Amino acid sequence: MNAVWDWISAVADWAAANWNPPGDQERGVWPRLVEHARLAYLSILIGLAAALPLGLACVRWTRLYPPVLTGVNVLYAVPSIALFFLMLPYTGFSDWTAIVPLALYTLVILLPNVVDGLRQVPDHVRQAAVAMGFGPLRRLLTVETPVAVPVIIAGLRVASVATISMVSVASLVGLGGLGQLILSEGFRRQFDAPIVVGIVLTVVLAFVTDALLVLSQRLLTPWVRRDGRRRKRKQRAAVPAGEAAAVDAGADPTQSAETGNGAHPWMS
Amino acid sequence: MITFEGAAKHYPDGTVAVAGLDLTVESGRTTVFVGPSGSGKTTSLRMVNRMVAPTSGTVLVDGEDVRSQDPARLRRSIGYVIQQAGLFPHRTVRDNIATVPLLLGWGRSRARARAAELMESVGLEPSQAKRYPHQLSGGQQQRVGVARALAADPPILLMDEPFSAVDPVVRTGLQDELLRLQAELRKTVLFVTHDIDEAIRIGDRIAVFGPGGELAQYDTPERLLTHPVDDFVESFIGYDRGVRRLAFFPANELALREDVLLDDQDTVERALNTVDTAGQPWALVVDAQRMPLGWVDVDRLRHEPSGLELGRLTLTAYGHTFDVERDSLRAALDAAVLSPAGRAVGVDPDGRVLGVVSQADLGNAIWSVS
Ligand SMILES: Nc1ncnc2c1ncn2[C@@H]1O[C@H](COP(=O)(O)OP(=O)(O)OP(=O)(O)O)[C@@H](O)[C@H]1O
Ligand SMILES: [Mg+2]
């Protein structure tokens, strides 16, 4: 018991001592964390910025989707290390060496979510939009995209965790934020503390990011039914969001009766 | 006025959804398309707002071919209501209703004011304005759907099975509401259903579609019930069309008996005098405001102490009543058949008893209109 405690305090001492050593920017824990977050967030944002228009295009011109999906899936099969090394001749040791491949991975994860999200808009909602005189583009942007937001954010959550953990791999090409602590400080010197600190901070960063995404979903989609329990992912994929919400609440329109609010003039 | 001129829809797979429809829908009236599943009702309806293009023939709105108009512009001038309401899940009730006015560039405040106005006319509470569709019951969602379709005050309203996903009680309420709105607004309503009762209730004119997208009969509800053109229409209408037809005759010409009404303050002795004069086996006890209390059987009355007040007796429930001014012979017959006394109680709009009518007297009245 005492040994474990000693070990934990040794790790904490190391982190405190190396948190932000003045004059030694490269080796501090804090600068590494900032670098990690910067690489991860930029990659996610660029991936999202690419996935949205590409997804919209794939929904608008359906024949585009199968080849595009195959293309990005092939890309996903390439090991990340290989991509980082492939980037080196073009981008050198700049951030872009890490960001370009990571943004591509984010795109791969997000694209199916964007497309499925846009497609899962219930048919009656789409029909109603057409019947009210929405043109195709207006419908895509003002009806289908907002309705797809929960599914897109679900994809972002998966992509952001994957990206945050993959940034560490970029330490092999001299980038990689917290990965540097693990690889050069810890692994090469056979020293536990930097490895543990690197892992813990990576997990914390992933958690915080996920929490931010959940929060932003709540702010962006006040119209989604929430009743405390989280819906299962499988169910979310299988049932269109609007309908899943209705089924969840037992508010299936075919079964609900208008009872209990006395707002019906002809009944009185 | 909407005119279908040989409008047909053949799909490439060989399906004939609509086989050359010739039909004129009158302005300001409710025309119902009714027929079995797959008979081309939805397809025909959607030809009007160009959601379906006929493969041959034309559809004219007020004499103008719909194909000569921009589809989006045309659709904004035609209201459309569908079965699952098709509300936008991410917009509040108010913004759903304001959709078309906003598309037409009305400006937010004017569109919202219009939405509030419509919520009232379809019977929604102002407090529901900021709710999202999933927070409403199915019936309330349909009301929002109707309000949304009416928002820009279009002259034409297309309704595709708008009430078929709600339970029967709510459906009847929604039908009543539509009838009330229509009496006020006088839109050209095209209403699709496969429920013949709904068609008869709602429609000024009914088009019965047969299998293969053929129009089998186009007539008023009454003529449809009295003169179905063929076996298909007859079987579609159902075996009890004779009874349903009674819905077209008012109950206000029935001879109501008042001599069997007894006051709850009367004694058994006086009551016996009254009923002996009337010669009827049942009498109806009413209170001082002439509200019905229940039936009393004359044989039983003879066994009660003669000084007892009628109000103290246990009476037989009077069951359904019918409104003499507003209901039909069908409602009166229904009330009589369900009454334990075999007699129907006719009331005024406030529920005060005007008189009773026996099954035998009803039979005579029915005989005379048949
Ligand atoms: N895109 C399509 N391709 C082929 N056939 C179609 C298509 N759309 C509709 N149909 C067929 O056209 C016929 C008429 O369909 P429609 O939807 O008009 O029927 P309906 O009378 O509205 O039926 P319901 O009461 O079930 O709604 C059906 O047999 C249907 O299968
Ligand atoms: Mg249909």
Side-chain angles (χ1 to χ4, degrees):
Chain A
M1 195 63 219
N2 235 5
V4 173
W5 189 246
D6 288 346
W7 183 77
I8 290 175
S9 76
V11 169
D13 286 346
W14 182 86
N18 294 278
W19 188 254
N20 201 1
D24 195 0
Q25 276 298 319
E26 283 300 290
R27 288 176 52 187
V29 176
W30 172 249
R32 289 298 182 205
L33 179 62
V34 171
E35 182 192 12
H36 199 107
R38 185 182 71 230
L39 292 175
Y41 287 177
L42 277 175
S43 307
I44 294 166
L45 283 178
I46 293 171
L48 176 65
L52 282 178
L54 197 57
L56 285 168
C58 287
V59 171
R60 180 79 180 80
W61 296 284
T62 40
R63 264 183 295 176
L64 212 60
Y65 188 44
V68 169
L69 190 63
T70 310
V72 294
N73 276 338
V74 166
L75 212 67
Y76 198 48
V78 180
S80 53
I81 305 180
L83 271 187
F84 292 137
F85 281 114
L86 280 175
M87 289 299 297
L88 272 179
Y90 307 99
T91 50
F93 290 95
S94 74
D95 281 0
W96 295 105
T97 309
I99 290 173
V100 171
L102 291 175
L104 277 174
Y105 287 125
T106 301
L107 168 71
V108 175
I109 296 173
L110 273 183
L111 183 69
N113 276 272
V114 173
V115 172
D116 291 348
L118 292 171
R119 283 190 177 163
Q120 58 130 37
V121 173
D123 201 46
H124 59 99
V125 173
R126 193 174 295 137
Q127 300 272 355
V130 172
M132 277 185 292
F134 281 71
L137 189 64
R138 192 196 290 262
R139 200 182 75 216
L140 201 54
L141 294 177
T142 65
V143 178
E144 289 165 18
T145 306
V147 173
V149 165
V151 181
I152 296 174
I153 293 188
L156 261 181
R157 291 176 63 185
V158 176
S160 66
V161 171
T163 305
I164 287 170
S165 91
M166 245 192 298
V167 167
S168 299
V169 181
S171 58
L172 288 170
V173 290
L175 292 154
L178 296 166
Q180 294 279 37
L181 292 183
I182 298 170
L183 190 75
S184 42
E185 299 294 317
F187 189 69
R188 293 207 182 116
R189 297 198 206 163
Q190 295 288 306
F191 181 31
D192 277 354
I195 299 181
V196 174
V197 170
I199 291 172
V200 168
L201 288 180
T202 307
V203 170
V204 168
L205 186 63
F207 255 114
V208 170
T209 308
D210 197 52
L212 286 175
L213 283 170
V214 171
L215 187 73
S216 70
Q217 175 172 359
R218 287 192 174 230
L219 295 176
L220 282 173
T221 60
W223 49 274
V224 173
R225 173 181 290 283
R226 290 177 234 278
D227 32 16
R229 75 204 148 87
R230 183 104 37 86
R231 240 173 290 138
K232 289 187 215 96
R233 279 185 62 80
K234 210 196 283 174
Q235 189 184 345
R236 187 182 304 167
V239 190
E243 275 160 34
V247 171
D248 246 4
D252 182 348
T254 58
Q255 291 174 0
S256 55
E258 276 186 321
T259 45
N261 79 359
H264 318 305
W266 62 83
M267 283 182 180
S268 49
Chain B
M1 198 169 72
I2 303 167
T3 319
F4 293 84
E5 283 179 357
K9 182 71 185 180
H10 296 242
Y11 281 104
D13 65 1
T15 313
V16 179
V18 180
L21 180 63
D22 285 299
L23 180 137
T24 300
V25 174
E26 284 173 67
S27 296
R29 295 301 180 89
T30 303
T31 299
V32 179
F33 287 178
V34 68
S37 192
S39 55
K41 306 177 297 292
T42 299
T43 309
S44 305
L45 188 79
R46 290 184 172 179
M47 287 177 181
V48 178
N49 68 356
R50 290 192 63 179
M51 286 174 75
V52 168
T55 40
S56 62
T58 48
V59 178
L60 308 157
V61 171
D62 293 329
E64 199 182 337
D65 190 336
V66 292
R67 271 171 299 189
S68 67
Q69 300 172 56
D70 170 61
R73 290 261 301 278
L74 176 76
R75 288 170 191 154
R76 288 170 201 175
S77 69
I78 298 177
Y80 191 76
V81 188
I82 48 177
Q83 187 177 332
Q84 306 95 324
L87 300 181
F88 298 138
H90 61 297
R91 293 198 181 162
T92 58
V93 166
R94 176 173 65 181
D95 290 346
N96 260 288
I97 298 175
T99 304
V100 180
L102 288 174
L103 283 178
L104 291 171
W106 281 26
R108 190 160 291 269
S109 60
R110 189 174 154 219
R112 285 192 166 168
R114 173 69 178 152
E117 196 180 301
L118 277 160
M119 285 185 67
E120 195 185 328
S121 38
V122 300
L124 289 164
E125 294 281 299
S127 62
Q128 290 164 332
K130 289 184 189 164
R131 290 213 201 157
Y132 288 99
H134 77 78
Q135 297 168 312
L136 302 178
S137 72
Q140 289 165 342
Q141 291 183 10
Q142 280 310 333
R143 285 161 198 277
V144 177
V146 172
R148 183 174 67 173
L150 289 171
D153 205 16
I156 297 173
L157 201 55
L158 307 178
M159 308 181 86
D160 194 351
E161 304 197 27
F163 307 148
S164 54
V166 293
D167 71 57
V169 175
V170 175
R171 188 181 315 152
T172 310
L174 289 167
Q175 290 167 352
D176 286 343
E177 193 80 343
L178 179 67
L179 287 169
R180 190 185 63 66
L181 273 172
Q182 174 63 346
E184 197 180 299
L185 302 174
R186 289 268 153 233
K187 301 282 180 196
T188 305
V189 178
L190 249 185
F191 190 106
V192 168
T193 178
H194 45 228
D195 175 358
I196 184 74
D197 283 319
E198 185 169 63
I200 288 168
R201 241 185 125 213
I202 297 271
D204 296 312
R205 291 273 233 139
I206 297 175
V208 182
F209 283 65
E214 301 264 7
L215 179 62
Q217 186 167 359
Y218 184 40
D219 248 319
T220 61
E222 195 189 335
R223 280 199 54 86
L224 201 65
L225 289 172
T226 47
H227 298 98
V229 290
D230 57 20
D231 290 349
F232 166 75
V233 177
E234 183 162 6
S235 71
F236 189 76
I237 294 169
Y239 62 90
D240 55 348
R241 68 184 168 93
V243 178
R244 289 196 202 161
R245 200 175 66 88
L246 294 177
F248 297 100
F249 301 101
N252 60 10
E253 282 172 27
L254 285 171
L256 299 175
R257 298 191 76 109
E258 286 184 77
D259 56 356
V260 292
L261 301 186
L262 302 173
D263 202 279
D264 63 342
Q265 310 282 322
D266 285 351
T267 59
V268 168
E269 192 181 5
R270 262 191 78 182
L272 277 170
N273 271 336
T274 314
V275 294
D276 281 344
T277 322
Q280 293 282 316
W282 289 89
L284 184 74
V285 181
V286 300
D287 68 10
Q289 280 77 45
R290 277 179 87 99
M291 300 304 277
L293 295 173
W295 292 102
V296 62
D297 160 7
V298 173
D299 286 342
R300 205 187 117 209
L301 218 46
R302 296 193 200 285
H303 295 103
E304 299 290 347
S306 60
L308 193 68
E309 276 185 16
L310 294 179
R312 309 183 75 94
L313 292 172
T314 315
L315 303 169
T316 307
Y318 60 88
H320 280 298
T321 60
F322 68 96
D323 183 327
V324 177
E325 280 311 312
R326 289 191 293 206
D327 280 338
S328 64
L329 279 186
R330 188 182 176 183
L333 179 64
D334 196 54
V337 170
L338 292 176
S339 161
R343 283 155 171 73
V345 180
V347 297
D348 69 10
D350 297 323
R352 277 191 276 272
V353 178
L354 295 171
V356 305
V357 58
S358 69
Q359 286 176 357
D361 288 344
L362 257 169
N364 288 334
I366 291 167
W367 182 252
S368 73
V369 299
S370 306

